Amino acid sequence: MSSPQSVDFVFFGGTGDLAMRKLLPALYHLHRKGDLADGGRVIGVAREALSRDEYVARVREQCSKRIAAAQFRDDVFDAFARRLDYVRLDAGQPDDFKALATVLDTAGAEVRIFYLSTAPDLFAPICGNLAQASVVQPNSRVVLEKPIGRDIASARTTNDCVGRSFTEGQIFRIDHYLGKEPVQNLMALRFGNVLFEPLWNRTWVRDVQLTIAEQVGVERRGRFYDHVGAVRDMVQSHLLQLLCIIAMEPPATIAPDAVRDEKVKVLRALDPLHGTELGARTVRGQYRAGVIDGKPVVGYLDEPDIPADSHTETFIAIKAEINNWRWSGVPFYLRTGKRMPERTAEIVVNFRAVPHSIFPEALGTLQGNRMEIELQPEESLKLYLTAKRPGEDMHLGPVHLNLDFGEQFTTAPMDAYERLLMDVVRGQLTLFLRRDEVDAAWQWVEPILRGWEAEGSRPKPYTAGTWGPAASSVLLGRDGSAWQEES
């Protein structure tokens, strides 16, 4: 798996939360396992005045906190630290990029990867200044974190600006959920086995539920989050990408454009939500004070940097429908929220019940089969079936088959960012978003946001530590269904 080429990683936002919490620990692991070729560097870029030694000390401190004690070794980090460097730079100042160019031109690697872990409005000036400083080469790549824009117009403007400095084949729009092991296995199960394909359609699937729940509130990102909200933060990216993996047609090959062509078809087939449909098929909420894990937490409006009259949603539930032959009439329920009872991300595929039960009700209620794909906090895939309970009499009950990757495979699963960073190194675009994917997602999401703005209504309140407004349960109840934790 090791990289055949030496790579210089340049992290804009190199002192930020994502870099310290995810990106640099992922690179430490890749270094520890020998996946990074010799000679490459990891260059942090930020406005803060730091020496190289101060930056290395900060990275060491954060990595020692984030990495398991059994995997963090001082001698390994010392070797990793020899790759580290730091450049003070203001993204809006073209002259500051000269210092970066000087560093890159000194013992430069074969591949340059510019990772933009910054606010989206900095993507365009950073890419423009990189090109002006003549540091973008044919073998360079740029990684863009979500969200790309806050609506169709700004997303297109950003993509236009980035596209003037990098070709489409050099642009890696990242969604780390696509790098998670269960999502990879979902593709393998769907397209590597004949068992599921005959069932993967409107005839046998009753509904699909996709949930990303967070226990945390806005933390120290109040000003940013109030400008974004749950739809822009999670639906337009993570949830729609998971929906595409579930609903897409089998691609002709695993080649990047073959896979992404099928994902775009799903996005373009989503039934638009506007007018009366918007009120009937969406529920938005905003958390109030409550209790999480036995500790009281404040409501959203009492968080730092949140306006007292904010209408920003911290919870959203949507009933989505796909207008094509495979999925017509099958509801896809999307849900995400902050201050939920637990941190979880899961996909639940509910199959239809048997058309006729030969068993009397006294023997047990037959439930439809279902598949549960858990993405976090653990990674697992379970298939629920009906079976006879042990004993002399015939009594029925649910059992599940657990695809335990830890037991089946001795190789430990890769972290999502480790996998995706290596894909960037190799130039492998399959798990990254193409420009028309971003555009198609915004075309479905933006009318929802505009509809709420036109209504002027407030999000429904829900108590922190609960699963959102009661209307979220009603959304499914009207179809005779229920969220997984309620069923």
Side-chain angles (χ1 to χ4, degrees), residues 218 225 230 285-287 300 312-316 336-338 459 462:
V218 297
Y225 190 86
Q286 190 181 85
Y287 65 83
Y300 180 74
T312 298
E313 77 285 351
T314 63
F315 173 94
I316 177 67
T336 185
K338 289 188 174 294
Y462 66 95

Side-chain angles (χ1 to χ4, degrees), residues 350-373:
N350 288 308
F351 294 92
R352 298 189 186 278
V354 295
H356 169 70
S357 175
I358 66 172
F359 303 103
E361 288 187 10
L363 299 183
T365 303
L366 288 184
Q367 298 180 352
N369 304 130
R370 75 178 185 272
M371 178 184 290
E372 292 184 4
I373 304 122

Side-chain angles (χ1 to χ4, degrees), residues 205-353:
V205 175
R206 187 190 74 193
D207 65 63
V208 180
Q209 301 176 17
L210 298 94
T211 296
I212 301 177
E214 300 178 285
Q215 282 190 313
V216 298
V218 297
E219 298 180 291
R220 297 184 299 275
R221 302 191 309 153
R223 187 174 289 106
F224 165 80
Y225 190 86
D226 198 64
H227 190 62
V228 175
V231 172
R232 290 184 174 94
D233 190 38
M234 301 297 281
V235 175
Q236 189 271 337
S237 53
H238 298 330
L239 282 171
L240 286 186
Q241 283 299 307
L242 294 178
L243 182 147
C244 287
I245 298 297
I246 287 286
M248 64 190 280
E249 293 296 321
T253 69
I254 199 66
D257 281 335
V259 172
R260 297 189 294 181
D261 284 345
E262 298 304 332
K263 289 163 63 183
V264 170
K265 290 177 185 177
V266 173
L267 293 170
R268 290 176 176 165
L270 283 169
D271 189 39
L273 290 173
H274 47 69
T276 57
E277 286 293 293
L278 181 62
R281 289 166 51 189
T282 69
V283 176
R284 59 179 179 143
Q286 190 181 85
Y287 65 83
R288 298 292 188 258
V291 177
I292 303 284
D293 286 342
K295 299 179 182 178
V297 297
V298 301
Y300 180 74
L301 298 180
D302 294 318
E303 296 276 18
D305 300 321
I306 301 299
D309 61 346
S310 173
H311 287 199
T312 298
E313 77 285 351
T314 63
F315 173 94
I316 177 67
I318 302 175
K319 176 184 176 181
E321 296 183 350
I322 301 173
N323 292 329
N324 62 21
W325 277 44
R326 182 184 290 265
W327 296 115
S328 180
V330 177
F332 285 74
Y333 300 108
L334 316 181
R335 176 178 60 166
T336 185
K338 289 188 174 294
R339 292 303 189 197
M340 301 278 99
E342 59 187 66
R343 172 180 174 265
T344 186
E346 67 175 4
I347 303 168
V348 178
V349 180
N350 288 308
F351 294 92
R352 298 189 186 278

Side-chain angles (χ1 to χ4, degrees), residues 108 126 172 379 460:
I126 288 174
F172 291 72
E379 297 184 345
K460 299 180 185 299

Side-chain angles (χ1 to χ4, degrees), residues 399-453:
V399 298
H400 68 266
L401 305 177
N402 186 3
L403 184 57
D404 191 324
F405 303 112
E407 290 185 2
Q408 293 293 322
F409 306 109
T410 56
T411 304
M414 289 187 74
D415 172 78
Y417 276 105
E418 290 179 45
R419 172 182 286 109
L420 294 173
L421 285 169
M422 286 306 300
D423 278 356
V424 178
V425 171
R426 297 192 186 92
Q428 173 56 257
L429 284 156
T430 301
L431 299 179
F432 297 84
L433 281 64
R434 202 168 59 192
R435 175 173 179 160
D436 55 348
E437 280 185 76
V438 176
D439 198 80
W442 274 121
Q443 288 189 54
W444 187 71
V445 165
E446 186 170 317
I448 299 174
L449 298 168
R450 297 290 175 255
W452 288 340
E453 290 175 6

